[in-house]
Amino acid sequence: MRIGELSERTGTPRRLLRYYEEQGLIAAERTPNGYREYDEFYVDRVMQIRGLLDAGLPTRIIKQILPCLDKPRVIHFSDATPEMITTLELQRDRMTARIQCLTRNRDAVAEYLDAVRPKNGTPEAERAHGAR
């Protein structure tokens, strides 16, 4: 697929996809006329990259952990520095805290919806469905 389709399918601006390519996070084949061509695989890969960026990981760390996202998972990191491990541990802990916060907020919204939604058979539900 061309860059425009990848952009549309992932909701990622073309400029950002070019940046991911410059950083070595994704790679495109080039057609004879110079257009970028991406494999279907990159739809999921771009979504993973965006999620990791949203979680606060820098692209240099993302580039190093991308092999962990592939299957089968054969991971060999001879260059995993103590700094990288510390950074990843901190980012993992931040993600865990965000997940917990999102879960609490989702549960609160669900409880609110349960409280305010008309129950089946109540006058409110009948009015909502046009019955009398």
Side-chain angles (χ1 to χ4, degrees):
M1 80 188 79
R2 289 196 184 155
I3 194 168
E5 183 179 349
L6 183 60
S7 172
E8 185 176 310
R9 291 181 60 188
T10 61
T12 305
R14 294 175 190 200
R15 192 175 83 192
L16 197 50
L17 292 172
R18 288 187 205 93
Y19 173 74
Y20 294 170
E21 191 174 343
E22 288 171 13
Q23 298 301 306
L25 303 177
I26 62 175
E29 298 291 324
R30 293 291 184 147
T31 62
N33 59 4
Y35 290 122
R36 288 175 170 87
E37 286 285 330
Y38 295 94
D39 188 82
E40 180 72 23
F41 161 82
Y42 285 110
V43 173
D44 287 335
R45 175 52 50 97
V46 168
M47 299 306 289
Q48 290 172 320
I49 292 167
R50 291 188 60 171
L52 292 168
L53 287 167
D54 288 346
L57 269 72
T59 56
R60 67 181 171 78
I61 299 289
I62 293 171
K63 184 177 179 181
Q64 292 180 352
I65 65 170
L66 281 176
C68 300
L69 304 176
D70 294 333
K71 292 184 181 178
R73 293 182 180 201
V74 178
I75 305 165
H76 301 284
F77 283 120
S78 58
D79 60 346
T81 65
E83 176 196 31
M84 178 185 166
I85 291 169
T86 300
T87 299
L88 286 173
E89 289 172 340
L90 291 171
Q91 293 301 327
R92 180 206 54 210
D93 294 345
R94 284 185 62 226
M95 286 183 222
T96 299
R98 287 181 66 195
I99 290 167
Q100 290 169 343
C101 180
L102 286 169
T103 300
R104 281 192 312 271
N105 290 342
R106 181 206 57 209
D107 292 347
V109 168
E111 286 180 35
Y112 176 79
L113 286 170
D114 286 344
V116 299
R117 257 193 208 126
K119 305 294 184 227
N120 287 338
T122 65
E124 294 84 7
E126 290 173 6
R127 279 195 297 273
H129 290 88
R132 291 202 176 197

PDB file of all heavy atoms in Angstrom, residues 6 10 13 15 27 31 36-37 40 43 47 67-68 79-80 83 88-89 97 101-102 107 132:
ATOM      1  N   LEU A   6      -1.678   3.947   4.125  1.00  0.00           N
ATOM      2  CA  LEU A   6      -1.195   3.651   5.473  1.00  0.00           C
ATOM      3  C   LEU A   6      -1.579   4.774   6.427  1.00  0.00           C
ATOM      4  O   LEU A   6      -2.018   4.526   7.556  1.00  0.00           O
ATOM      5  CB  LEU A   6       0.321   3.439   5.467  1.00  0.00           C
ATOM      6  CG  LEU A   6       0.948   3.050   6.802  1.00  0.00           C
ATOM      7  CD1 LEU A   6       0.379   1.737   7.325  1.00  0.00           C
ATOM      8  CD2 LEU A   6       2.468   2.968   6.661  1.00  0.00           C
ATOM      9  N   THR A  10      -4.250   4.133   9.577  1.00  0.00           N
ATOM     10  CA  THR A  10      -3.722   4.223  10.936  1.00  0.00           C
ATOM     11  C   THR A  10      -4.030   5.553  11.614  1.00  0.00           C
ATOM     12  O   THR A  10      -3.765   5.714  12.801  1.00  0.00           O
ATOM     13  CB  THR A  10      -2.191   4.032  10.952  1.00  0.00           C
ATOM     14  OG1 THR A  10      -1.580   5.076  10.176  1.00  0.00           O
ATOM     15  CG2 THR A  10      -1.800   2.666  10.410  1.00  0.00           C
ATOM     16  N   PRO A  13      -0.517  11.010  10.292  1.00  0.00           N
ATOM     17  CA  PRO A  13      -0.148  11.888   9.173  1.00  0.00           C
ATOM     18  C   PRO A  13       1.038  11.336   8.377  1.00  0.00           C
ATOM     19  O   PRO A  13       1.943  10.700   8.944  1.00  0.00           O
ATOM     20  CB  PRO A  13       0.226  13.207   9.862  1.00  0.00           C
ATOM     21  CG  PRO A  13      -0.449  13.152  11.199  1.00  0.00           C
ATOM     22  CD  PRO A  13      -0.487  11.695  11.579  1.00  0.00           C
ATOM     23  N   ARG A  15       3.522  12.856   7.151  1.00  0.00           N
ATOM     24  CA  ARG A  15       4.783  13.418   7.638  1.00  0.00           C
ATOM     25  C   ARG A  15       5.332  12.604   8.810  1.00  0.00           C
ATOM     26  O   ARG A  15       6.525  12.348   8.902  1.00  0.00           O
ATOM     27  CB  ARG A  15       4.583  14.879   8.046  1.00  0.00           C
ATOM     28  CG  ARG A  15       5.882  15.613   8.295  1.00  0.00           C
ATOM     29  CD  ARG A  15       5.633  17.053   8.578  1.00  0.00           C
ATOM     30  NE  ARG A  15       5.296  17.146  10.004  1.00  0.00           N
ATOM     31  CZ  ARG A  15       4.797  18.187  10.596  1.00  0.00           C
ATOM     32  NH1 ARG A  15       4.524  19.263   9.910  1.00  0.00           N
ATOM     33  NH2 ARG A  15       4.540  18.188  11.882  1.00  0.00           N
ATOM     34  N   ALA A  27       9.881   0.580   7.454  1.00  0.00           N
ATOM     35  CA  ALA A  27      10.658   0.639   6.216  1.00  0.00           C
ATOM     36  C   ALA A  27       9.714   0.459   5.038  1.00  0.00           C
ATOM     37  O   ALA A  27       8.782  -0.340   5.097  1.00  0.00           O
ATOM     38  CB  ALA A  27      11.719  -0.447   6.202  1.00  0.00           C
ATOM     39  N   THR A  31       9.013   1.969  -5.285  1.00  0.00           N
ATOM     40  CA  THR A  31       8.631   1.546  -6.627  1.00  0.00           C
ATOM     41  C   THR A  31       9.580   2.228  -7.613  1.00  0.00           C
ATOM     42  O   THR A  31      10.287   3.176  -7.249  1.00  0.00           O
ATOM     43  CB  THR A  31       7.173   1.942  -6.926  1.00  0.00           C
ATOM     44  OG1 THR A  31       7.057   3.367  -6.884  1.00  0.00           O
ATOM     45  CG2 THR A  31       6.218   1.295  -5.932  1.00  0.00           C
ATOM     46  N   ARG A  36       6.635   5.286  -2.105  1.00  0.00           N
ATOM     47  CA  ARG A  36       6.816   4.360  -0.995  1.00  0.00           C
ATOM     48  C   ARG A  36       5.713   3.311  -1.053  1.00  0.00           C
ATOM     49  O   ARG A  36       4.546   3.642  -1.241  1.00  0.00           O
ATOM     50  CB  ARG A  36       6.717   5.100   0.346  1.00  0.00           C
ATOM     51  CG  ARG A  36       7.876   5.969   0.671  1.00  0.00           C
ATOM     52  CD  ARG A  36       7.588   6.739   1.969  1.00  0.00           C
ATOM     53  NE  ARG A  36       8.750   7.424   2.472  1.00  0.00           N
ATOM     54  CZ  ARG A  36       9.128   8.650   2.104  1.00  0.00           C
ATOM     55  NH1 ARG A  36       8.410   9.320   1.227  1.00  0.00           N
ATOM     56  NH2 ARG A  36      10.214   9.191   2.616  1.00  0.00           N
ATOM     57  N   GLU A  37       6.085   2.063  -0.829  1.00  0.00           N
ATOM     58  CA  GLU A  37       5.133   0.958  -0.755  1.00  0.00           C
ATOM     59  C   GLU A  37       5.349   0.254   0.579  1.00  0.00           C
ATOM     60  O   GLU A  37       6.469  -0.134   0.910  1.00  0.00           O
ATOM     61  CB  GLU A  37       5.345  -0.039  -1.901  1.00  0.00           C
ATOM     62  CG  GLU A  37       4.869   0.446  -3.249  1.00  0.00           C
ATOM     63  CD  GLU A  37       3.363   0.418  -3.405  1.00  0.00           C
ATOM     64  OE1 GLU A  37       2.698  -0.437  -2.786  1.00  0.00           O
ATOM     65  OE2 GLU A  37       2.841   1.253  -4.166  1.00  0.00           O
ATOM     66  N   GLU A  40       1.330  -4.797   4.396  1.00  0.00           N
ATOM     67  CA  GLU A  40       0.158  -4.806   5.295  1.00  0.00           C
ATOM     68  C   GLU A  40       0.578  -4.864   6.768  1.00  0.00           C
ATOM     69  O   GLU A  40      -0.078  -4.314   7.640  1.00  0.00           O
ATOM     70  CB  GLU A  40      -0.724  -6.013   4.950  1.00  0.00           C
ATOM     71  CG  GLU A  40      -1.969  -6.152   5.778  1.00  0.00           C
ATOM     72  CD  GLU A  40      -3.022  -5.109   5.437  1.00  0.00           C
ATOM     73  OE1 GLU A  40      -3.012  -4.566   4.317  1.00  0.00           O
ATOM     74  OE2 GLU A  40      -3.862  -4.843   6.322  1.00  0.00           O
ATOM     75  N   VAL A  43       0.487  -1.705   9.169  1.00  0.00           N
ATOM     76  CA  VAL A  43      -0.704  -1.119   9.782  1.00  0.00           C
ATOM     77  C   VAL A  43      -0.653  -1.367  11.292  1.00  0.00           C
ATOM     78  O   VAL A  43      -0.758  -0.429  12.089  1.00  0.00           O
ATOM     79  CB  VAL A  43      -2.010  -1.690   9.167  1.00  0.00           C
ATOM     80  CG1 VAL A  43      -3.225  -1.194   9.929  1.00  0.00           C
ATOM     81  CG2 VAL A  43      -2.101  -1.319   7.686  1.00  0.00           C
ATOM     82  N   MET A  47       0.426   1.294  14.567  1.00  0.00           N
ATOM     83  CA  MET A  47      -0.442   1.433  15.738  1.00  0.00           C
ATOM     84  C   MET A  47       0.327   1.117  17.025  1.00  0.00           C
ATOM     85  O   MET A  47       0.149   1.789  18.041  1.00  0.00           O
ATOM     86  CB  MET A  47      -1.672   0.537  15.608  1.00  0.00           C
ATOM     87  CG  MET A  47      -2.541   0.868  14.390  1.00  0.00           C
ATOM     88  SD  MET A  47      -3.045   2.596  14.284  1.00  0.00           S
ATOM     89  CE  MET A  47      -4.217   2.664  15.614  1.00  0.00           C
ATOM     90  N   PRO A  67      11.600  -5.549  18.125  1.00  0.00           N
ATOM     91  CA  PRO A  67      11.657  -7.003  17.925  1.00  0.00           C
ATOM     92  C   PRO A  67      10.834  -7.779  18.954  1.00  0.00           C
ATOM     93  O   PRO A  67      10.378  -8.883  18.671  1.00  0.00           O
ATOM     94  CB  PRO A  67      13.154  -7.331  18.080  1.00  0.00           C
ATOM     95  CG  PRO A  67      13.846  -6.054  17.730  1.00  0.00           C
ATOM     96  CD  PRO A  67      12.930  -4.957  18.219  1.00  0.00           C
ATOM     97  N   CYS A  68      10.604  -7.194  20.126  1.00  0.00           N
ATOM     98  CA  CYS A  68       9.789  -7.860  21.153  1.00  0.00           C
ATOM     99  C   CYS A  68       8.326  -7.932  20.737  1.00  0.00           C
ATOM    100  O   CYS A  68       7.572  -8.739  21.281  1.00  0.00           O
ATOM    101  CB  CYS A  68       9.877  -7.104  22.481  1.00  0.00           C
ATOM    102  SG  CYS A  68      11.531  -6.994  23.149  1.00  0.00           S
ATOM    103  N   ASP A  79      22.947  -5.058  23.512  1.00  0.00           N
ATOM    104  CA  ASP A  79      23.186  -3.636  23.785  1.00  0.00           C
ATOM    105  C   ASP A  79      22.207  -3.044  24.793  1.00  0.00           C
ATOM    106  O   ASP A  79      22.060  -1.835  24.874  1.00  0.00           O
ATOM    107  CB  ASP A  79      23.137  -2.834  22.487  1.00  0.00           C
ATOM    108  CG  ASP A  79      21.792  -2.936  21.786  1.00  0.00           C
ATOM    109  OD1 ASP A  79      20.991  -3.816  22.144  1.00  0.00           O
ATOM    110  OD2 ASP A  79      21.551  -2.127  20.872  1.00  0.00           O
ATOM    111  N   ALA A  80      21.548  -3.872  25.591  1.00  0.00           N
ATOM    112  CA  ALA A  80      20.608  -3.371  26.602  1.00  0.00           C
ATOM    113  C   ALA A  80      21.416  -2.804  27.767  1.00  0.00           C
ATOM    114  O   ALA A  80      21.917  -3.539  28.607  1.00  0.00           O
ATOM    115  CB  ALA A  80      19.684  -4.480  27.076  1.00  0.00           C
ATOM    116  N   GLU A  83      20.894   1.951  31.625  1.00  0.00           N
ATOM    117  CA  GLU A  83      20.031   3.122  31.425  1.00  0.00           C
ATOM    118  C   GLU A  83      18.756   2.732  30.683  1.00  0.00           C
ATOM    119  O   GLU A  83      17.660   3.149  31.047  1.00  0.00           O
ATOM    120  CB  GLU A  83      20.777   4.206  30.650  1.00  0.00           C
ATOM    121  CG  GLU A  83      19.886   5.399  30.332  1.00  0.00           C
ATOM    122  CD  GLU A  83      20.480   6.303  29.253  1.00  0.00           C
ATOM    123  OE1 GLU A  83      21.195   5.806  28.363  1.00  0.00           O
ATOM    124  OE2 GLU A  83      20.206   7.509  29.320  1.00  0.00           O
ATOM    125  N   LEU A  88      12.995   1.663  30.622  1.00  0.00           N
ATOM    126  CA  LEU A  88      11.869   0.774  30.317  1.00  0.00           C
ATOM    127  C   LEU A  88      11.077   0.419  31.568  1.00  0.00           C
ATOM    128  O   LEU A  88       9.847   0.345  31.525  1.00  0.00           O
ATOM    129  CB  LEU A  88      12.364  -0.492  29.617  1.00  0.00           C
ATOM    130  CG  LEU A  88      12.785  -0.311  28.167  1.00  0.00           C
ATOM    131  CD1 LEU A  88      13.411  -1.588  27.630  1.00  0.00           C
ATOM    132  CD2 LEU A  88      11.616   0.113  27.302  1.00  0.00           C
ATOM    133  N   GLU A  89      11.765   0.205  32.679  1.00  0.00           N
ATOM    134  CA  GLU A  89      11.055  -0.086  33.925  1.00  0.00           C
ATOM    135  C   GLU A  89      10.194   1.099  34.352  1.00  0.00           C
ATOM    136  O   GLU A  89       9.034   0.917  34.763  1.00  0.00           O
ATOM    137  CB  GLU A  89      12.050  -0.450  35.032  1.00  0.00           C
ATOM    138  CG  GLU A  89      12.690  -1.806  34.834  1.00  0.00           C
ATOM    139  CD  GLU A  89      13.815  -2.102  35.811  1.00  0.00           C
ATOM    140  OE1 GLU A  89      14.385  -1.162  36.409  1.00  0.00           O
ATOM    141  OE2 GLU A  89      14.130  -3.288  35.972  1.00  0.00           O
ATOM    142  N   ALA A  97       0.277   2.573  35.793  1.00  0.00           N
ATOM    143  CA  ALA A  97      -0.500   3.590  36.515  1.00  0.00           C
ATOM    144  C   ALA A  97      -1.585   4.183  35.616  1.00  0.00           C
ATOM    145  O   ALA A  97      -2.718   4.395  36.056  1.00  0.00           O
ATOM    146  CB  ALA A  97       0.431   4.693  37.039  1.00  0.00           C
ATOM    147  N   CYS A 101      -5.624   4.030  36.175  1.00  0.00           N
ATOM    148  CA  CYS A 101      -6.436   5.253  36.158  1.00  0.00           C
ATOM    149  C   CYS A 101      -7.555   5.136  35.117  1.00  0.00           C
ATOM    150  O   CYS A 101      -8.708   5.460  35.397  1.00  0.00           O
ATOM    151  CB  CYS A 101      -5.549   6.463  35.883  1.00  0.00           C
ATOM    152  SG  CYS A 101      -6.454   8.023  35.847  1.00  0.00           S
ATOM    153  N   LEU A 102      -7.215   4.679  33.928  1.00  0.00           N
ATOM    154  CA  LEU A 102      -8.222   4.512  32.881  1.00  0.00           C
ATOM    155  C   LEU A 102      -9.287   3.496  33.301  1.00  0.00           C
ATOM    156  O   LEU A 102     -10.474   3.690  33.035  1.00  0.00           O
ATOM    157  CB  LEU A 102      -7.567   4.075  31.569  1.00  0.00           C
ATOM    158  CG  LEU A 102      -6.789   5.154  30.832  1.00  0.00           C
ATOM    159  CD1 LEU A 102      -5.977   4.539  29.696  1.00  0.00           C
ATOM    160  CD2 LEU A 102      -7.724   6.231  30.309  1.00  0.00           C
ATOM    161  N   ASP A 107     -14.766   2.444  34.799  1.00  0.00           N
ATOM    162  CA  ASP A 107     -15.736   1.873  35.731  1.00  0.00           C
ATOM    163  C   ASP A 107     -16.672   2.944  36.287  1.00  0.00           C
ATOM    164  O   ASP A 107     -17.876   2.697  36.455  1.00  0.00           O
ATOM    165  CB  ASP A 107     -15.011   1.140  36.862  1.00  0.00           C
ATOM    166  CG  ASP A 107     -14.282  -0.111  36.379  1.00  0.00           C
ATOM    167  OD1 ASP A 107     -14.524  -0.555  35.232  1.00  0.00           O
ATOM    168  OD2 ASP A 107     -13.457  -0.643  37.152  1.00  0.00           O
ATOM    169  N   ARG A 132     -46.632   4.148  24.981  1.00  0.00           N
ATOM    170  CA  ARG A 132     -47.431   4.772  26.051  1.00  0.00           C
ATOM    171  C   ARG A 132     -48.198   3.750  26.781  1.00  0.00           C
ATOM    172  O   ARG A 132     -48.715   2.827  26.361  1.00  0.00           O
ATOM    173  CB  ARG A 132     -48.371   5.807  25.463  1.00  0.00           C
ATOM    174  CG  ARG A 132     -47.564   6.960  24.964  1.00  0.00           C
ATOM    175  CD  ARG A 132     -48.416   8.160  24.875  1.00  0.00           C
ATOM    176  NE  ARG A 132     -47.514   9.235  24.481  1.00  0.00           N
ATOM    177  CZ  ARG A 132     -47.796  10.456  24.603  1.00  0.00           C
ATOM    178  NH1 ARG A 132     -48.921  10.838  25.104  1.00  0.00           N
ATOM    179  NH2 ARG A 132     -46.980  11.382  24.252  1.00  0.00           N
TER     180      ARG A 132
END
